[in-house]
Structure formats: C-alpha cells, structure tokens
Amino acid sequence: MKKYFFRNLTLITFTLLSSYSMNAQVRQQVSTNYDRNSLSVLMLDAGDPYSVQLSKLMDSLKIPEKYFDNSLNISTVPIRVDRAKIAETDSYRKIVPQEQVFEALKQSKVANLAIANWFDRKEDGSFGVKTLAERGVYNATDNDMLVATASKRGTAGLMDMGMGLVDKSYFIVLDFAEILSMSEQYERDSIPADQRTMNGFQGKVNSYVYKLDFSEPVAARFFQDLWISGESDNKEAKRALFDQTDFPLVYINTFSEAVSSTQLNPGQKGAPAVQRSSEEMLESLMDMAYENSLLKLENTTDEFRVKGMVHDVNPIAVKIGRKEGLKFDQRYFVYENRQDRNGNVYSKRKGVIRSMSVADNRTLADGESEPSLFYQVAGGQIDNMGMFVEQKNASGINLFAGYTEGGLSGGGLRLEILLSPFLYEGFAKSGPAKGMTGWKIYLEGAYGNQEFLYDDGLAKFGFYRGSLGISKEIYLTRNVFLDPFVGYGLEGGSPPEDTGESFDSQFIEIGSRLGINIMHNVQLMPAVNLYAIVKSEYLETKESEPIKITYADQFDGRGGAGLSLGLRFMF
C-alpha cells in the first residue's frame, strides 16, 4: 500500500508542477478598476407549484452591504413557460432560454424601474439627482477624495462619479424551475414508507443575470429626450415616452444548482425538538439559492471582484473593508503589471494574501480611511509600489491525502473546514486578530493493515479509524507554515477471517504538520503524529459484552509516535 501511495504522490506532484508551468505562460492583464455595483433581485413567476408562497418571501432577501440596493417596486416577473417542452431538451437544469427571460423583463419594464430609482423619479415624471450624487460620493475612495479636494470643483466633482455607476446596475432573476416537497418526491420516486424520514423541500433553481446598458449613447438620449425637471416643456409627452421606452439590457450569465431545505421527521433519531414550518424551510431554500448565485457571480464576473492598491507593507494593508464586503481570512491575489517586449501590458501574480483584520469603512472617504490588514500565504515579496489586489474567493474547504508510518499506520483522507471567519465575527468583530487566522475543524478517516500474532500465528489485521479535531496554521515564511493539531478518534481492528471479532479503541491524537507550498493551493505536508490510546475493548461478536483490554498487549507497537506525508488541496 505504501509503495502505491508514494508512487501516486510523485505522479500527482509532477502533474501539478507541469500544469503550473504551462498556466504561468498565459499572460493577461487584470483590471485594477472597481466600483460598487447595484443589485435588483427578482423572481420569475410561471405559475409553478409554490410560486405564490415563494413570491411572498421575496422581500426577505437582503442586498449585501457590498452593493447599492436598487430594489424595485416589483419582486416578481410574470412569464409564460412550457416546462415540459424545455425538459425535453434540458431534463436536468430546465433552463428557460435567456431571450425569453429578456422579453419577460422588458414587458415588466425592469430597466425603466431601475433608472427611475437612480434618478429619483416622482409621480409627475420629474427626475432628480440626490440618489445619484449620494452614491457617487459613497463610492469614492481615499484617492478619489484627495484628487477631488485638490481640484477647482472640490468634492462636488465626486457627485459626478455617480453617473458612471448607473451602467453598473445588475438584475438577478431567480427561477425556481422545479421545487418538490419531500412527500411529493417520495411519491414520485416510489420510496417505501419506512424510508420516508424527512420533510421539507428540494429542487432546482436557475439564476439569470442581466445588466442595464446605460452607456453614453443611451444616457445621452435619456437626458435629451426623456429628462423632466421643473422647467421642462412637454412634460406629459416626455413622461409617456419614458414609460414606452425599452431601455436595453445585457445578458451576463446563467447559474444552475440543486437546493434543499429539509429536516428529520418527528420521532426520527436526531430530529429537531421544534420543527421548522414549511414557510421557514422555503425561505431557507430561497436564501441558499440567492447567496450561491451571488458567490458564483463574484467568481465568474470581473466587475464583481473587489480590487484595491497595496497601501502599505509590514503588515500588508489595503484600503478596503466592510463597505466592500471583505470577510475575515478571505483570500486575495496580489498582482503587478508588467510589459513584454512588444509593449503589451500583462499582470503577474506576485503573491496570495488573507485578511487578518476587517476595517469598518462604511462611511464617506476622507482621505485617511483605516485600511484592512493582511498576511501572506504564498508567493514572493510584496511591495506598495504599484501592486494591487483582487478578490479570489476560496470555499474554505481543504482535502488532505496522506500515509502514516508508525503510530496508527495507514492511508487516509482529512477534510478541513475553515473556522476563522466565524470566530472573528463571534468574538473580535474589529481590529487585527492574527491569532484567529487559520483555525480549522477537521474530520479524518484512514485504513491500514498490519500483521500481528493471532491464533499462534501471524495474521494481517485491518484497521479503520476516524477522528475529529482542530488545527491552527502558523506561517513561518511566505510559503512555509506549521499546522499543529489535536483531535479525538475511534479505531476498529478485525482479523482477516470473518469471525465477528473486533478490537475497538478510543484515542487522542496530537501533532504538527509542516506545510510547504507547491502551488498557492497545493501543499506537500510531512507531519509528526502522536496517538495516545485511552480506552480499548474486545468483542467476540457484535452481540457480546465488551471486554476491556490493553491495546499495546494485543497489538504490540501500534499507537505512539508516527510520521506521515501527503498532499493538501485547497478549494
């Protein structure tokens, strides 16, 4: 088993390095521009089951602070959809053609409603610029403020920045294409009555994303032909013309995913003492679909990824914070723009950083805003001579595959989940908190076989073990870190013959891994482990009474210190 593991480990490492070398040759320029987008969230209403209940819950969806809230006075968009016909060609996702969604949005005049929000349209059809000016000032950075105060117009010039933000108005349109209650799903799949243990909802949700096109030609026509103020002529004609105008929308993307919100039925082991209502579970399902759509939008759309200049080093500081939706221990890439021999500008990644403080900058910029602080987890030296950062979301989930020799030997997998953001929001909430970075909870499972005396001869026992614990990354250099851990686990051993016998133990594990970056999201990790057996039992059969034993007497040399080696993949 060891031979195959280390052979595969070498092959995987070589493949990763080759892939990294090939990808490093792709040269692209990363935009340094970032402005706040505005969001409107809508739901397609095709008269599907649960449409009425879901539409009543739309007001519960909140626009994150990272965006301007451009909520409209409608929350649903009627659409005529032949679900059965769509399923003939797209049985899994059931995506409505984007042209059909576009037509439904046009009929509901969502673009007009968004523009009316931006320009404070009143009942008489007249417009104003209060919202536009306020958003322009709020969007300004410290650098914008310093430039503005040095100009003749002063900070009044910042209000003009709001005009460019109108073109950054986005619409997320949720389509609950197929939602079934668990009872309906059990009936559809003919699940036996004794296996119908859950209640709640499951289904598929498609999210269609569009952007308002308020480019210069569109804006020019709006101000020339449709703008109404106190002194305007032909107010009624312009008002009617605005209502009749179809402002253009641009299709951005479609996201699809399965969602569920379920709970165990009363009487089932582990069922909640107080059952959530159907409305609460539908609301949870809707929240999940909405939040996942936003995450996918950030991951796939450049305009939704936060960017900022490196303001300082030692520690690394960037003037972004809660206003930009920054989270604790969130990942950012650091870039530097360079020029090739042909004069083409490209961006070279210089490092990877994570936040260790989140500045509360939800105020107007004054030129002296507090920066958020970061620590480096990969790459080379970072400076503040033109380098910039870009948001690169990570899932906070890591997977380690390795082999342990000695101790409780065997090959295993470790799943890690980042805890730091929850610790920070629960305890610190503000200020630097380097001690809270890199905390993870892990779940590990392993299997190994080893020869021991059994029935006056040697027999190869199989050992299964699992453990739960916590660990903390401590960076020694930019690309090397310690990862001490402590956990509690169970191990079961059985002889090769199916005799029904089993040897069960409980253990405490402590140790430390050394992380060495191969890539920013892949590490080679040797480790020292110590396993302390705290309880052991022997069962002749599953029904027999357990007999306490001494593990070391039964399995001489199993337990104690061990060494391991493996790869960790960060997602």
Side-chain angles (χ1 to χ4, degrees), residues 203-216:
K204 297 180 179 69
V205 178
N206 299 319
S207 303
Y208 311 95
V209 183
Y210 292 81
K211 186 183 81 70
L212 172 66
D213 179 0
F214 202 73
S215 54
E216 288 188 12

Side-chain angles (χ1 to χ4, degrees), residues 535-548:
K535 183 180 179 181
S536 301
E537 296 176 337
Y538 166 73
L539 284 83
E540 187 173 359
T541 66
K542 291 182 179 180
E543 292 76 23
S544 61
E545 287 292 322
I547 301 171
K548 290 185 178 181

Side-chain angles (χ1 to χ4, degrees), residues 36-39 63 67-70 118 135 138-139 165:
R36 290 171 67 85
N37 301 309
S38 69
L39 277 186
I63 304 296
Y67 309 103
F68 289 123
D69 185 348
N70 220 31
W118 272 104
R135 291 182 176 181
Y138 191 73
N139 180 70
L165 300 177

Side-chain angles (χ1 to χ4, degrees), residues 314-325:
N314 298 321
I316 299 166
V318 184
K319 289 198 172 184
I320 57 176
R322 293 195 182 275
K323 182 192 284 191
E324 292 76 23

Side-chain angles (χ1 to χ4, degrees), residues 183-398:
S183 297
E184 292 167 335
Q185 188 155 315
Y186 288 144
E187 286 295 326
R188 185 194 66 181
D189 299 339
S190 301
I191 303 298
D194 61 340
Q195 296 179 26
R196 301 185 179 193
T197 58
M198 309 284 288
N199 66 83
F201 299 90
Q202 290 185 345
K204 297 180 179 69
V205 178
N206 299 319
S207 303
Y208 311 95
V209 183
Y210 292 81
K211 186 183 81 70
L212 172 66
D213 179 0
F214 202 73
S215 54
E216 288 188 12
V218 177
R221 179 171 181 264
F222 170 70
F223 288 113
Q224 290 172 9
D225 301 337
L226 306 175
W227 181 266
I228 301 174
S229 63
E231 300 80 24
S232 297
D233 297 326
N234 304 319
K235 288 185 179 181
E236 287 303 319
K238 287 185 175 181
R239 177 179 179 178
L241 185 58
F242 176 85
D243 293 335
Q244 295 165 10
T245 299
D246 291 322
F247 288 93
L249 295 172
V250 179
Y251 170 70
I252 301 298
N253 213 333
T254 297
F255 307 114
S256 301
E257 61 187 302
V259 292
S260 68
S261 178
T262 60
Q263 61 189 348
L264 288 166
N265 289 329
Q268 294 289 331
K269 186 177 181 180
V274 178
Q275 293 274 303
R276 289 184 295 165
S277 67
S278 295
E279 181 179 303
E280 288 173 327
M281 285 189 288
L282 278 174
E283 184 175 351
S284 175
L285 182 143
M286 177 179 278
D287 288 342
M288 183 187 305
Y290 172 52
E291 290 171 4
N292 289 346
S293 297
L294 284 176
L295 182 61
K296 289 181 178 180
L297 196 53
E298 288 181 342
N299 292 341
T300 59
T301 309
D302 179 73
E303 289 78 9
F304 277 73
R305 291 194 289 272
V306 176
K307 304 172 184 69
M309 302 302 296
V310 176
H311 175 69
D312 204 351
V313 293
N314 298 321
I316 299 166
V318 184
K319 289 198 172 184
I320 57 176
R322 293 195 182 275
K323 182 192 284 191
E324 292 76 23
L326 179 66
K327 298 178 178 62
F328 186 75
D329 231 352
Q330 188 174 10
R331 186 179 70 180
Y332 275 68
F333 284 2
V334 181
Y335 293 97
E336 180 181 54
N337 283 337
R338 295 186 175 183
Q339 198 171 48
D340 64 19
R341 296 176 182 176
N342 299 319
N344 300 313
V345 177
Y346 67 95
S347 300
K348 180 178 177 61
R349 191 178 72 211
K350 297 293 292 182
V352 181
I353 59 177
R354 286 182 172 271
S355 56
M356 62 178 181
S357 77
V358 181
D360 191 350
N361 60 344
R362 292 171 292 187
T363 58
L364 302 183
D366 59 3
E368 297 182 358
S369 300
E370 177 189 358
S372 295
L373 304 181
F374 293 77
Y375 66 104
Q376 189 169 357
V377 297
Q381 187 171 356
I382 294 172
D383 62 48
N384 59 343
M385 306 298 289
M387 292 189 185
F388 63 97
V389 305
E390 181 185 41
Q391 175 186 354
K392 288 288 184 179
N393 291 333
S395 68
I397 296 174
N398 309 326

